[in-house]
Amino acid sequence: MIIHSERGPLAGRRTSSAVTTAAAASERKLALWNIGFAYAAFLIGTFCGLIQVFMRNEMIQLPAWLDYYQVLTVHGVTLALVYTTFFIYAFLITGMSKALGSFGPKVARWSWIGFFVAAAGTVWATIEILSGRASVLYTFYAPLKASGWFYVSLALLIIGTWIISFALIAHYVKWRKANPGVMSPLFAFMTISTLAMWIIACLGVVAAVVFMYIPWAFGWVDTINVELSRTLFWFFGHPLVYFWLLPAYMAWYLVVPKLLGTKVFSDSLARLSFLLFILFSIPVGLHHQLTEPGVADFWKFLQVTLTFMVVIPTLMTAFSLFATFEISGRQKGAKGLFGWVSKLPWNDIRFTSLFIAMVFFIPGGAGGIINTSFQLNEMVHNTLWVVGHFHITVGTPVAMTFMGISFWLIPYLTGRTLTKTTKKLAFVQIISWSVGMLFMSTAQHVLGLLGAPRRTQHSNYSDHPTVLGWFDGFFSNTATLALGGIILFFSAMLLMVIVFRLWLIEPRSEKGDLYAEFPIAESDASATPRWLENWWIWIGIAVALILLAYTFPITHMIQDAPPGSKGFINW
């Protein structure tokens, strides 16, 4: 009011604009901190991955203070939990700011608080692992018992992500109140879907850590209910995969059409697919426990059935993407059944990286169907097949999509550009990552089919000549696994060089630079049913499915539990 009376209304508008600019700068800074933390974890995790493949081939020997399971735990935690989580929040924070406008002071403050809480938990957990007090792998299965402080640090990591999540949800709610009756931008809708799934899924692991692992690890109780602890973990563990995947899907739905110069194929289809992921990605954790006793076959069958339902939104996404490819190609003059392929922008690394990621997801999804099928799961459970599946789903479609996003998100946040030299390096990096993952993941699948165990440093099968003969082929050989790992490490180091250049070295971008924009395609929501954004309906259905799938199994695990287990520390 004082500004208006003394200097006029235009001065007030300039002040408001300055505040908005400062808020946008704060959000960019927060996103960059998340990206920096993510890539620090990526560097540590990939180095540990290289050590693992060398140890599986007996090529190196670790010092006495470091063992294989410490390395394996750091590898899993830093890449599967830390790199993905912090990068995802950098992407969501930036996109929500662009889609809904700059954050208010409360949203910005709580987002920063959430970041520091999650970062503190991550650093603390890493220290616990490297100190030899938490070599329990990223699944931290009981009755293996880590230090109580390890579980406290994991709780801090989750709490930090919840704080950021609720801050972003508050930003969305504020926008909805200011725009009654208007469908939210598709990016914002997808973000809220992802966060809703994440918050619900984390309830399982939070319950396990706070009420079971922490009292047990600190000696407040003597034993732990192993079956219940694992069930609560996989209540979280399977939707965790979709917490990784949905931001990649966001890029496929929204960034790819923009790069092709067209619109989102169907706004309502995109929204419905994300809602279906909420419904069918949470009440399915028992399909990770098909070989475990203590759960009736009916409940396993029910959750396997719900798992297969995820195929529906997956195929909806594939249909939407290929329709987008063909529409774009036809608009550019493509003829024939596959003429559109030649019209795709293959020289744009932002597109090529995402397209290759999509292609890798095809065999990854097929492998997931095998893992979910009870009889086939009997063959591959606890073998290297599962590790290969994990790498060809998370390590390629998700990781490569995040890499492709990095090539424009970091320039967007730093105000720099992707020069021709760095663009060439990016193509080399993406191709080398694809080749390395093809070698390593294929070898892991084949070795798993032959019975090679997972979660073990090395097995020489008692030097039995017949068994050793099974592992003489190119892809049935741990040497090929090591070759893939070496190529992946080279690609990872090249990616770190690219990130460093985009952050600090590349020249400042000029107006019109394609790599300095946040590419979000236009989405026509005029025909989208309003009930698709009625969260009470969808969260209600999700809760009902969860109660149906878990109430009786968990009640049985508590009422008819066998004697609890004491902790084991065998490292």
Side-chain angles (χ1 to χ4, degrees):
M1 293 296 294
I2 295 174
I3 292 175
H4 280 254
S5 63
E6 294 182 355
R7 301 176 58 191
L10 290 179
R13 283 200 290 269
R14 284 196 296 269
T15 302
S16 176
S17 176
V19 171
T20 301
T21 302
S26 175
E27 289 141 27
R28 292 188 179 214
K29 185 177 180 180
L30 175 59
L32 281 171
W33 273 76
N34 276 274
I35 290 176
F37 203 89
Y39 274 108
F42 180 84
L43 179 62
I44 296 170
T46 50
F47 182 70
C48 290
L50 182 68
I51 293 175
Q52 284 176 246
V53 296
F54 282 164
M55 293 190 71
R56 272 196 168 267
N57 284 271
E58 298 183 296
M59 297 169 66
I60 63 171
Q61 185 172 356
L62 293 178
W65 57 270
L66 186 65
D67 64 48
Y68 176 80
Y69 294 100
Q70 282 173 278
V71 173
L72 180 56
T73 303
V74 172
H75 175 72
V77 170
T78 54
L79 289 184
L81 292 179
V82 181
Y83 168 66
T84 54
T85 298
F86 281 88
F87 189 89
I88 287 168
Y89 277 102
F91 181 51
L92 299 184
I93 287 167
T94 310
M96 287 290 278
S97 175
K98 180 174 177 61
L100 302 183
S102 297
F103 295 171
K106 289 184 179 180
V107 172
R109 185 186 312 118
W110 283 106
S111 296
W112 276 105
I113 291 172
F115 166 76
F116 284 117
V117 170
T122 299
V123 172
W124 197 352
T126 305
I127 292 172
E128 291 295 318
I129 297 168
L130 291 177
S131 65
R133 296 191 292 267
S135 298
V136 291
L137 311 188
Y138 98 99
T139 52
F140 56 90
Y141 266 3
L144 292 178
K145 184 168 74 170
S147 158
W149 296 114
F150 172 73
Y151 301 114
V152 172
S153 65
L154 289 183
L156 287 176
L157 172 58
I158 298 297
I159 291 169
T161 66
W162 275 8
I163 294 173
I164 303 176
S165 298
F166 284 116
L168 292 175
I169 292 171
H171 187 52
Y172 167 82
V173 170
K174 182 179 179 181
W175 186 93
R176 288 290 302 275
K177 289 181 179 178
N179 298 270
V182 180
M183 294 293 290
S184 65
L186 186 53
F187 189 99
F189 178 90
M190 290 177 165
T191 297
I192 299 304
S193 300
T194 304
L195 296 179
M197 184 191 68
W198 173 250
I199 292 169
I200 295 172
C202 286
L203 293 173
V205 73
V206 167
V209 168
V210 173
F211 298 110
M212 299 181 71
Y213 281 97
I214 289 178
W216 175 62
F218 281 116
W220 303 337
V221 297
D222 293 330
T223 62
I224 191 170
N225 184 326
V226 172
E227 189 74 28
L228 179 60
S229 70
R230 294 186 181 185
T231 300
L232 290 174
F233 174 84
W234 284 117
F235 177 92
F236 157 82
H238 188 78
L240 172 63
V241 175
Y242 288 94
F243 177 65
W244 300 326
L245 274 170
L246 288 187
Y249 275 35
M250 292 168 67
W252 298 355
Y253 269 111
L254 290 169
V255 175
V256 169
K258 180 68 173 180
L259 301 180
L260 296 178
T262 186
K263 299 179 181 181
V264 174
F265 174 71
S266 170
D267 183 271
S268 56
L269 182 148
R271 293 176 194 261
L272 180 60
S273 68
F274 268 63
L275 292 171
L276 292 179
F277 278 120
I278 295 177
L279 302 185
F280 299 126
S281 65
I282 300 177
V284 297
L286 289 180
H287 83 244
H288 289 268
Q289 300 172 262
L290 293 178
T291 62
E292 294 186 15
V295 182
D297 291 343
F298 171 79
W299 300 111
K300 292 179 180 179
F301 173 78
L302 174 65
Q303 296 207 20
V304 165
T305 302
L306 291 174
T307 305
F308 283 125
M309 296 296 287
V310 176
V311 172
I312 297 173
T314 301
L315 292 179
M316 290 167 62
T317 301
F319 173 78
S320 178
L321 288 168
F322 279 95
T324 302
F325 295 153
E326 184 162 3
I327 289 171
S328 172
R330 300 297 181 194
Q331 290 174 346
K332 297 171 184 176
K335 305 294 183 182
L337 186 60
F338 295 107
W340 53 269
V341 175
S342 63
K343 301 296 183 180
L344 297 177
W346 298 111
N347 63 338
D348 189 340
I349 188 61
R350 299 173 300 173
F351 170 79
T352 305
S353 55
L354 269 59
F355 186 88
I356 297 174
M358 297 176 202
V359 171
F360 266 99
F361 195 54
I362 297 173
I369 294 174
I370 291 172
N371 296 343
T372 309
S373 305
F374 180 78
Q375 293 87 344
L376 297 176
N377 186 278
E378 288 284 297
M379 290 182 58
V380 300
H381 195 79
N382 278 336
T383 72
L384 268 179
W385 168 283
V386 177
V387 183
H389 169 72
F390 193 81
H391 282 87
I392 208 172
T393 50
V394 180
T396 317
V398 172
M400 195 176 293
T401 297
F402 291 176
M403 293 168 190
I405 293 173
S406 297
F407 298 148
W408 57 261
L409 182 58
I410 297 176
Y412 175 78
L413 295 170
T414 60
R416 299 185 183 273
T417 189
L418 186 70
T419 60
K420 290 183 178 180
T421 299
T422 306
K423 183 179 177 181
K424 291 178 181 178
L425 291 177
F427 271 105
V428 174
Q429 189 271 319
I430 288 297
I431 293 171
S432 59
W433 189 270
S434 303
V435 172
M437 195 61 74
L438 184 65
F439 283 171
M440 188 180 78
S441 179
T442 304
Q444 288 170 333
H445 278 87
V446 174
L447 287 166
L449 288 176
L450 295 173
R454 63 190 290 211
R455 299 192 180 106
T456 57
Q457 176 179 338
H458 180 73
S459 177
N460 59 11
Y461 309 98
S462 301
D463 292 322
H464 194 287
T466 301
V467 177
L468 292 178
W470 297 346
F471 300 96
D472 282 341
F474 181 76
F475 282 114
S476 59
N477 198 312
T478 55
T480 303
L481 190 155
L483 174 62
I486 293 170
I487 297 173
L488 285 170
F489 184 73
F490 161 78
S491 180
M493 295 306 99
L494 186 56
L495 178 62
M496 296 303 298
V497 170
I498 294 169
V499 169
F500 182 77
R501 288 176 64 90
L502 293 175
W503 201 310
L504 297 172
I505 295 180
E506 296 287 50
R508 294 291 178 180
S509 61
E510 299 178 358
K511 187 175 182 180
D513 181 11
L514 294 177
Y515 291 93
E517 69 172 2
F518 194 111
I520 298 181
E522 181 183 346
S523 184
D524 183 6
S526 60
T528 302
R530 293 292 181 265
W531 50 265
L532 283 177
E533 201 162 6
N534 187 330
W535 296 105
W536 294 107
I537 295 175
W538 301 105
I539 300 300
I541 296 174
V543 171
L545 286 173
I546 291 168
L547 292 175
L548 172 66
Y550 276 105
T551 300
F552 286 101
I554 288 181
T555 300
H556 170 70
M557 291 175 197
I558 295 172
Q559 290 183 343
D560 303 315
S565 174
K566 293 186 176 182
F568 289 84
I569 302 175
N570 56 2
W571 58 87

